[in-house]
Amino acid sequence: SEVCITPGKPFTFAEIDFQSTESKILAFGLPGNPVSSLVCFHLFVVPAIRYLAGWTNPHHFRFVNFQRIIILI
């Protein structure tokens, strides 16, 4: 399946099942643009690796409320 994200197209994720064993391979297709590739890696691949490693909260920390600070000089 594809993920609709801009910039960062095309990003693809797939699970490959083997009929002979019960193991799966996770395949991530990253974009060609280096910056988009790095962003997609940190948004999707890093949490997947953390989840597989057994982290209780594999997602990145996100700040919901940003306050704008204006400094007058």
Side-chain angles (χ1 to χ4, degrees):
S1 63
E2 281 191 29
V3 176
C4 295
I5 183 173
T6 303
K9 281 182 153 181
F11 176 83
T12 304
F13 169 76
E15 281 186 359
I16 302 170
D17 293 327
F18 288 106
Q19 294 178 354
S20 60
T21 63
E22 293 184 15
S23 63
K24 294 181 182 179
I25 293 178
L26 302 179
F28 294 92
L30 297 173
N33 183 317
V35 175
S36 297
S37 180
L38 184 65
V39 169
C40 288
F41 180 81
H42 282 284
L43 284 177
F44 301 110
V45 181
V46 170
I49 293 171
R50 289 178 177 174
Y51 177 78
L52 294 172
W55 287 37
T56 56
N57 187 11
H59 300 289
H60 293 287
F61 297 111
R62 295 201 171 114
F63 296 99
V64 178
N65 294 326
F66 287 105
Q67 291 182 354
R68 183 179 237 182
I69 299 173
I70 300 173
I71 300 173
L72 300 174
I73 301 177

